[in-house]
Structures are given as structure tokens and as C-alpha cells.
Amino acid sequence: MLCTLLHNAYFLFSKTAMQLLTRQTPLNRPVRILQFGEGNFLRAFVDWMVERMNRATDFNAAVQIVKPRATPGGTGEILNRQGGVYHVVLRGVQDGRNVEEIEPITCVKGCLNPATDWDEIQKCACDPALRFVVSNTTEAGIEYRPGEDTFPAKVARVVTARCQAGLPGLVFLPCELIEHNGDMLRECTLKYIEDDAVRRYVETQCIFCNTLVDRIVAGFPKDDAPRYWERLGVQDDLIVCGEPFFFLAIEGPASVEAEIPAKACGLNVVFTQDLTLYRTRKVRFLNGAHTASVLGAHRAGLTFVDEMVRDSEFGKFLRQVLFEEVMPTVDLPEEEKRAYAESVLERFANPYAQHRLLSIALNSVSKWKVRVLPTLLDYQKKFGKLPPCLTRSMAYLVKFYRTCEINDSPQVKEFFAGHPTLEQILGNTDFWGMDLNTIPDFTATVGEFLA
């Protein structure tokens, strides 16, 4: 009922013809959040969270989105055409019952392109109302590359403008699945700053929180979109589907908790001084199982994650990854680990998610390094042998990157375009942070799987 009333307040309905969704009521909220990333995850996670806090508390925040890469068109263009409004569909099994809820998201002001709209971005950076910066630029986004306009380079320009305007510092909440993501963003940002006054400003007035995010977001529901449009009475080209499960852990000072009224509206947000165990559990079980399996499952002809769980071969593969290879490497009570592993399988099997394998395949090289490699190394150290499924996952990756269209960084695409040997792939320390050929028996075993 609440969602319906909100929808009527903001969006135009038509009983005679399907109209394109557009904002009908001006967004009269201050821009308190600058968001780098217009993708499905942030729109169904952070922006959904902001919408909830705006409804239930006096948080009163608008979100200004910035494309991390200066590319034309895409989601940002559609978002601007729709006036920043869209819907989130949460569907799945919750407390033993099927759930399907549609919620309007009205807190987004629009999307700016750094190639053409930097003056507007800088104007936003110098707005006294601005307080938070959130991001999801994938695991490859938080890097220092001299001479390149990376995400941290853009952050350096934002904080420089704000410092020179004499305004208070900002709170950074990066959502990239990188260990110590806030610390890394701070470190990379400082490398782009030469002015001592700006460096002191970043070090003393800005807060960089480490975070952990957890919600499976499937993206645009291609097959079900017409059904939702009819239900809404408008054509929303940015509907994004996710699961009801939501979890956010924030590692930072108590002052940040006081500024984010998540608990006041019942959101599953934990403020902690150490999120190591939360991160290890989530990245190794949920993300690791995803990354280890999706490339092989796609090549086997599967399309969605729930299909993969039900498949006789890959369902068995997933269970072996979770219960036999990941579980022994995580330092938590056995019952807690097993319960979390079971919950991951249940979430993967969600028939409503329509989570495409190829969506998860984005930037698989950096994902494998972060999500799979640490578990493989810990397993090898503990048992003196390789974990068979996680080792096979590298063969899946190599085969996929040799034979399928790659959706990864320009550096990765260029490398694989040169038709590298297996030894060259495993020895690329820029990809893996180490020479994987040095892992005992790894190169030979991956080669056997490829054969």
C-alpha cells in the first residue's frame, strides 16, 4: 500500500497507452551523496537504502550519480531521460514465503558524465550539503595508475575542489569487494595529490570507511519487464531486480553510525571496528562460489544461477566448493559456517532472481584474484594439495577468456588478444599479484583440466 501511494505521488500513469516513465514531481532534497557508479548493484542497494531512510527518518538526501568511466549513452542516459526515477523489484523466498515487492526509487537526481559534465560534478563537490561519497567501480576500479583518470584520480579532484572551497571533509563508503576498500581508496587518492594542504585535508578531515555489502542483484528483468510495466502503468527501462536479503557492514568511527539512520528503519546494517570475519565469510562463500562456477556453467550452456544450482554437474561442483574447499579455510565455528553455506545455496537457487551468469562474469580476472585465490592458497597450505574445484575454476576462466567475448578492462582484453600461453597467463603478476606458476602442481593441473 505504501509503495502504491508513493508511486501515485511521483509517477504518471496512463490507462490508454504505455508511456515512458519520467519524474513528475521535482526532487526537493539536497544532494548529500555523490555516487560513482550507475550500475544495477548500487541502484538496488545504496539508492534503495537511501530511499528507505528518507521515508522513515529525517535523512533527507538526494543522490547525484557520476559515471566512473567517461563513456556515452548506456544506463546514465536512460536514467537522465527518466528524471532519475526507476523501480527496484525484490523477489525471492523470505521466512519461508515467496516475496515479490516493487518499490519506486525517487532519491536519484540524475547521472553526470565526467567527460562532458565535470563542471557540474565540481559544483556538486563544493555543495555544503554534500556529506557522503559511495562507489562501486568493480574490484579493478580502486587502483593507482599514473597519468590515467582513474576513479581515485577523480576523487582526488573532488577533494581538492572541496578543500580549496574551505568546506568540511567527506565520508567515503566504497562498495567494491576489495579487502580494506576504504583504506585502499584513501591510499590511491593521496598518490594523485601533490598539494600538501589538500593531503592534510584528506588525512585529517575525510573519513574513509571499509565496508562489506551483501545482496544478490540480478539486474534488468528482460523476460518479466512487460508484466511489471503493465502492473505499474508505465514503461520503466531501468527496473532492477534483487533478492530481499540485505546486509551492510561498515567499519569506521562511531560518528559515522550517528549520521546514518539505518537501524531506525530496520535495515540490516552493522557498524563495527573490525569487519574481517564478515568479509571473509561473504567473499569466500558467496562471491567465491559465484566466480569459481559461472564461467564453466556458461560454457556448458546454462544461463541463470538457479539453473546452475539444479544442474547435476554444476550443482555438485558448487556444493564441493562450498562445503569441502571453502569451509575448511574459514576460521569460524563449524555450525555457523555450515549454516551460511546452506544459506548461500538457498539464495543461489532463488527462482525469481533471474541472475545471469554473464552478469557475474564481468571483470572475472580481478574477481578471481580477490574471491578465489586466497581460498586456494589457504587450502593448499593447510592440506598440502590443490583444491580440485577451485583449481578447475582457473581452467574455466582461461577457456572462457580464450574463446568468448571478454567483458573486462582494456588491459585484460589487450593481453588475451595476444593469444598468451597458459604459463604466460598464470605468470601475469599484474593480474594475480603473484606468479601462479609457482604454486606446486598448479600449472600442470590447470593444463590437464584444459585438455
Side-chain angles (χ1 to χ4, degrees), residues 217-259:
V217 175
F220 182 76
K222 181 179 179 181
D223 295 334
D224 291 330
R227 175 169 65 89
Y228 291 129
W229 293 341
E230 176 143 1
R231 181 171 166 182
L232 293 168
V234 288
Q235 180 176 322
D236 179 0
D237 291 326
L238 287 180
I239 288 180
V240 56
C241 287
E243 63 175 344
F245 182 91
F246 172 93
F247 176 75
L248 169 63
I250 299 175
E251 181 184 284
S255 60
V256 174
E257 180 176 1
E259 293 189 64

Side-chain angles (χ1 to χ4, degrees), residues 34-98:
L34 190 62
Q35 175 176 306
F36 285 86
E38 77 280 26
N40 292 321
F41 181 81
L42 285 183
R43 291 190 295 109
F45 190 90
V46 169
D47 301 335
W48 173 88
M49 175 181 167
V50 172
E51 189 76 20
R52 284 288 182 97
M53 292 192 296
N54 281 346
R55 285 186 216 161
T57 73
D58 60 355
F59 189 60
N60 192 31
V63 179
Q64 177 62 69
I65 294 178
V66 177
K67 291 172 69 73
R69 297 181 180 87
T71 53
T75 299
E77 184 176 292
I78 301 172
L79 196 62
N80 289 334
R81 188 192 74 205
Q82 295 188 176
V85 296
Y86 62 94
H87 295 83
V88 168
V89 179
L90 301 180
R91 54 189 188 181
V93 180
Q94 192 174 39
D95 299 326
R97 63 186 181 88
N98 292 341

Side-chain angles (χ1 to χ4, degrees), residues 148-318:
E148 295 187 33
D149 192 22
T150 62
F151 164 52
K154 293 180 178 69
V155 170
R157 293 159 68 188
V158 165
V159 294
T160 296
R162 194 167 177 86
C163 172
Q164 292 173 347
L167 294 167
L170 299 170
V171 177
F172 291 84
L173 299 167
C175 297
E176 291 83 356
L177 285 175
I178 303 171
E179 192 168 6
H180 305 299
N181 49 16
D183 296 336
M184 286 190 64
L185 178 57
R186 178 178 179 273
E187 178 184 335
C188 290
T189 298
L190 285 169
K191 289 180 179 178
Y192 286 99
I193 299 172
E194 296 180 358
D195 186 284
D196 289 340
V198 179
R199 290 181 63 87
R200 285 194 299 272
Y201 174 82
V202 171
E203 292 169 343
T204 61
Q205 295 196 44
C206 293
I207 300 172
F208 289 78
C209 297
N210 297 316
T211 73
L212 177 73
V213 296
D214 194 355
R215 165 173 274 175
I216 296 174
V217 175
F220 182 76
K222 181 179 179 181
D223 295 334
D224 291 330
R227 175 169 65 89
Y228 291 129
W229 293 341
E230 176 143 1
R231 181 171 166 182
L232 293 168
V234 288
Q235 180 176 322
D236 179 0
D237 291 326
L238 287 180
I239 288 180
V240 56
C241 287
E243 63 175 344
F245 182 91
F246 172 93
F247 176 75
L248 169 63
I250 299 175
E251 181 184 284
S255 60
V256 174
E257 180 176 1
E259 293 189 64
I260 301 176
K263 293 182 180 179
C265 48
L267 293 173
N268 188 17
V269 178
V270 171
F271 295 89
T272 179
Q273 295 303 305
D274 186 1
L275 54 74
T276 302
L277 288 180
Y278 293 108
R279 182 189 182 280
T280 300
R281 184 184 69 174
K282 192 257 181 175
V283 171
R284 294 204 179 191
F285 280 98
L286 189 144
N287 301 114
H290 263 161
T291 299
S293 57
V294 296
L295 300 182
H298 170 73
R299 283 192 49 79
L302 304 178
T303 303
F304 298 106
V305 172
D306 63 304
E307 286 183 303
M308 183 171 68
V309 176
R310 294 192 301 270
D311 182 78
S312 58
E313 177 182 351
F314 281 95
K316 181 181 178 181
F317 180 89
L318 274 173

Side-chain angles (χ1 to χ4, degrees), residues 311-384:
D311 182 78
S312 58
E313 177 182 351
F314 281 95
K316 181 181 178 181
F317 180 89
L318 274 173
R319 287 169 175 81
Q320 187 170 339
V321 166
L322 289 167
F323 294 100
E324 298 179 26
E325 300 185 11
V326 175
M327 268 187 64
T329 71
V330 177
D331 187 20
L332 286 170
E334 287 298 312
E335 288 187 6
E336 182 178 336
K337 290 190 291 187
R338 183 166 295 278
Y340 190 76
E342 294 285 1
S343 75
V344 166
L345 277 179
E346 182 178 64
R347 292 166 66 188
F348 282 6
N350 178 2
Y352 303 98
Q354 296 289 286
H355 200 181
R356 292 182 176 271
L357 302 175
L358 284 181
S359 297
I360 305 167
L362 173 69
N363 293 326
S364 284
V365 167
S366 58
K367 286 177 178 177
W368 196 93
K369 173 189 173 183
V370 171
R371 302 175 176 188
V372 178
L373 180 57
T375 304
L376 185 146
L377 293 174
D378 284 352
Y379 185 100
Q380 197 273 340
K381 182 178 179 180
K382 183 172 184 176
F383 296 106

